[in-house]
């Protein structure tokens, strides 16, 4: 049956990946939308913060003091509920949302930490299809001058975002030098590097990581030299390697393997970030197969070509690696949500 497929989540790998990135920054904020089950483990096992993007997902966490909440088209009621629930760290990317927050703060005794989200130039080939969030650097510099006088704001930071599998735009130091004035630097407490860190897939080499880590360490040194702390938001880097997707072969014909799950209920990142999951024990030569999901959709393909050591049979297992990022499900064809088995 379709629902026999499952995710297997390793707590030890979650903690191992967290410890790696924890050395790169003053504070780690896990991007909670990447994988909620991974986030629950991090809340219990580490001291990381959580970048949260909707009020509904707050219910999955216990400690609201560790939440960095991203505003997006909110109203007074939502802001009031957040403040009432002791959420006091916010990221704002537009003036209207900022004004709603500032007006609400006049009616409470809350003291908040505020990050202003700043636009950085993007050069990726997919830039045209993405909405670019954030304020211009000029607007950020102007707002910091004003906001540092606000008694309801105990500290100010700047947030910016790089898309999660971005491997080419990490010359951040130079952009910050060009964007942030000396006066603004003196008023800042934090710089938050949003967007996460990339991870390894069939179409992304493991060699991408070390150069990025080196640049991050140099960036931290530069930011700390300004007496400012550096935050990072690794969702994918922590979640992806901690999870395997265990599927079963339903049918084999020609060079096609039909699995008992779908991209639509287990690997939406195939569409979102154009990634191709690695397959356990795949080779570089031999007979190639297409790994097809269980729906009638022609796009429901995990891998167009994967080489396997031996010919698969019905009921054999296919194990996908690094499957923990953005593996949420849709209701396409009424597909069931896959269960997650947690192991040590």
């Amino acid at each position: 049956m379709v629902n026999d497929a499952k995710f297997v989540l390793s707590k030890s790998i979650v903690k191992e990946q967290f410890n790696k990135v924890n050395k790169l920054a003053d504070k780690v904020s896990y991007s909670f939308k990447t994988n909620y089950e991974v986030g629950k483990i991090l809340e219990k096992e580490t001291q990381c913060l959580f970048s949260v993007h909707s009020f509904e997902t707050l219910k999955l966490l216990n400690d609201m003091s560790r939440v960095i909440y991203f505003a997006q088209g909110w109203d007074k009621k939502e802001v009031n509920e957040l403040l009432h629930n002791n959420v006091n760290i916010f990221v704002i990317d537009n003036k209207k949302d900022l004004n709603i927050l500032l007006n609400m703060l006049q009616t409470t005794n809350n003291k908040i930490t505020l990050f202003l989200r700043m636009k950085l130039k993007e050069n990726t080939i997919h830039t045209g299809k993405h909405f670019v969030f954030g304020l211009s650097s000029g607007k950020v510099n102007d707002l910091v001058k004003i906001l540092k006088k606000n008694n309801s704001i105990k500290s100010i930071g700047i947030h910016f975002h790089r898309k999660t599998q971005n491997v080419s735009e990490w010359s951040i130091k130079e952009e910050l030098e060009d964007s942030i004035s000396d006066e603004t630097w003196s008023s800042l407490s934090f710089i938050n590097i949003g967007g996460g860190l990339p991870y390894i897939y069939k179409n992304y080499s493991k060699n991408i990581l070390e150069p990025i880590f080196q640049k991050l360490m140099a960036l931290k040194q530069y930011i700390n030299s300004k007496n400012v702390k550096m935050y990072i938001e690794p969702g994918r880097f922590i979640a992806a390697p901690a999870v395997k997707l265990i599927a079963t072969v339903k049918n084999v014909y020609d060079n096609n393997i039909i699995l008992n799950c779908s991209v639509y209920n287990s690997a939406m990142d195939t569409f979102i970030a154009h990634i191709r999951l690695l397959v356990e024990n795949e080779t570089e030569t031999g007979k190639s197969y297409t790994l097809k999901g269980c729906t009638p959709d022609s796009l429901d393909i995990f891998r167009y070509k994967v080489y396997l050591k031996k010919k698969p049979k019905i009921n054999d297992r296919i194990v996908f690696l690094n499957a923990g990022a953005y593996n949420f499900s849709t209701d396409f064809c009424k597909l069931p949500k896959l269960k997650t088995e947690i192991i040590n």
Side-chain angles (χ1 to χ4, degrees):
M1 295 177 63
V2 174
N3 60 1
D4 288 336
K6 65 179 179 181
F7 296 112
V8 177
L9 167 57
S10 168
K11 289 197 294 185
S12 62
I13 295 178
V14 170
K15 291 185 284 185
E16 178 184 331
Q17 292 299 106
F18 172 80
N19 289 334
K20 289 178 182 177
V21 292
N22 198 37
K23 299 175 183 177
L24 298 175
D26 295 299
K27 200 71 177 180
V28 172
S29 182
Y30 173 72
S31 184
F32 196 48
K33 60 183 170 56
T34 313
N35 186 308
Y36 301 131
E37 298 304 319
V38 170
K40 293 174 187 177
I41 292 171
L42 287 169
E43 185 177 24
K44 292 178 181 178
E45 303 286 345
T46 74
Q47 294 300 311
C48 78
L49 302 177
F50 297 93
S51 296
V52 176
H53 300 78
S54 72
F55 191 82
E56 290 74 16
T57 55
L58 288 175
K59 301 171 185 177
L60 301 176
L61 292 167
N62 296 306
D63 187 354
M64 296 299 102
S65 70
R66 294 164 66 179
V67 167
I68 301 178
Y69 191 84
F70 285 65
Q72 191 57 216
W74 58 13
D75 55 27
K76 292 180 180 179
K77 180 180 178 181
E78 184 177 352
V79 175
N80 184 59
E81 287 191 54
L82 289 165
L83 294 172
H84 182 73
N85 282 279
N86 297 316
V87 177
N88 287 304
I89 310 175
F90 300 98
V91 177
I92 299 287
D93 65 27
N94 65 85
K95 191 70 181 297
K96 188 171 183 179
D97 282 346
L98 175 61
N99 287 339
I100 291 173
L101 175 62
L102 294 178
N103 289 336
M104 288 300 301
L105 288 172
Q106 292 178 357
T107 67
T108 73
N109 295 319
N110 294 72
K111 302 289 186 182
I112 70 163
T113 293
L114 178 64
F115 287 90
L116 297 174
R117 184 164 177 174
M118 184 175 71
K119 294 179 183 178
L120 290 185
K121 185 177 179 181
E122 297 184 349
N123 301 299
T124 62
I125 61 173
H126 299 297
T127 296
K129 77 170 188 175
H130 294 283
F131 184 83
V132 180
F133 294 90
L135 300 153
S136 68
S137 59
K139 179 62 70 175
V140 168
N141 285 308
D142 290 341
L143 283 173
V144 170
K145 293 178 186 178
I146 299 169
L147 294 172
K148 70 179 182 180
K149 301 174 185 177
N150 190 315
N151 292 329
S152 295
I153 300 174
K154 62 182 180 181
S155 53
I156 301 174
I158 288 177
H159 178 281
F160 57 87
H161 183 90
R162 290 302 194 199
K163 289 182 288 295
T164 177
Q165 276 300 102
N166 189 339
V167 299
S168 62
E169 297 181 331
W170 289 91
S171 298
I172 298 170
K173 175 177 176 290
E174 292 77 9
E175 292 193 69
L176 294 182
E177 288 176 327
D178 292 339
S179 301
I180 302 176
S181 69
D182 289 340
E183 182 180 358
T184 298
W185 275 115
S186 66
S187 301
L188 296 178
S189 298
F190 315 103
I191 293 284
N192 187 352
I193 303 173
L197 300 172
Y199 205 65
I200 305 159
Y201 299 101
K202 182 60 179 177
N203 53 333
Y204 287 89
S205 166
K206 65 180 180 181
N207 297 326
I208 64 178
L209 294 174
E210 188 57 34
I212 291 174
F213 279 17
Q214 291 175 359
K215 288 187 176 183
L216 281 175
M217 288 187 287
L219 179 62
K220 180 179 181 296
Q221 185 176 18
Y222 168 71
I223 291 174
N224 288 167
S225 74
K226 302 284 190 179
N227 294 317
V228 175
K229 293 183 178 180
M230 188 176 93
Y231 286 18
I232 57 175
E233 289 182 338
R236 181 182 302 278
F237 184 85
I238 296 175
V243 178
K244 294 180 179 180
L245 169 59
I246 313 296
T248 301
V249 176
K250 292 182 68 179
N251 195 7
V252 182
Y253 63 91
D254 300 329
N255 287 352
N256 304 310
I257 300 173
I258 311 302
L259 300 175
N260 69 334
C261 57
S262 166
V263 167
Y264 290 100
N265 73 339
S266 64
M268 284 298 294
D269 214 30
T270 305
F271 296 141
I272 296 168
H274 310 285
I275 63 93
R276 298 294 180 267
L277 293 174
L278 291 163
V279 176
E280 191 172 71
N281 298 322
E282 68 175 290
T283 64
E284 297 299 323
T285 59
K287 186 174 178 61
S288 67
Y289 295 89
T290 295
L291 299 181
K292 171 74 175 68
C294 60
T295 74
D297 185 8
S298 61
L299 294 175
D300 190 3
I301 298 174
F302 289 88
R303 289 278 299 276
Y304 285 96
K305 182 179 288 187
V306 60
Y307 294 96
L308 300 176
K309 291 181 179 179
K310 60 181 182 179
K311 182 179 180 179
K313 304 184 298 295
I314 292 175
N315 293 327
D316 281 354
R317 292 201 326 174
I318 297 290
V319 179
F320 293 98
L321 307 176
N322 301 343
Y326 301 102
N327 55 13
F328 57 88
S329 63
T330 73
D331 64 356
F332 179 62
C333 289
K334 291 299 179 182
L335 293 165
K337 182 177 177 62
L338 302 190
K339 295 181 179 179
T340 298
E341 177 186 334
I342 299 175
I343 62 174
N344 287 324

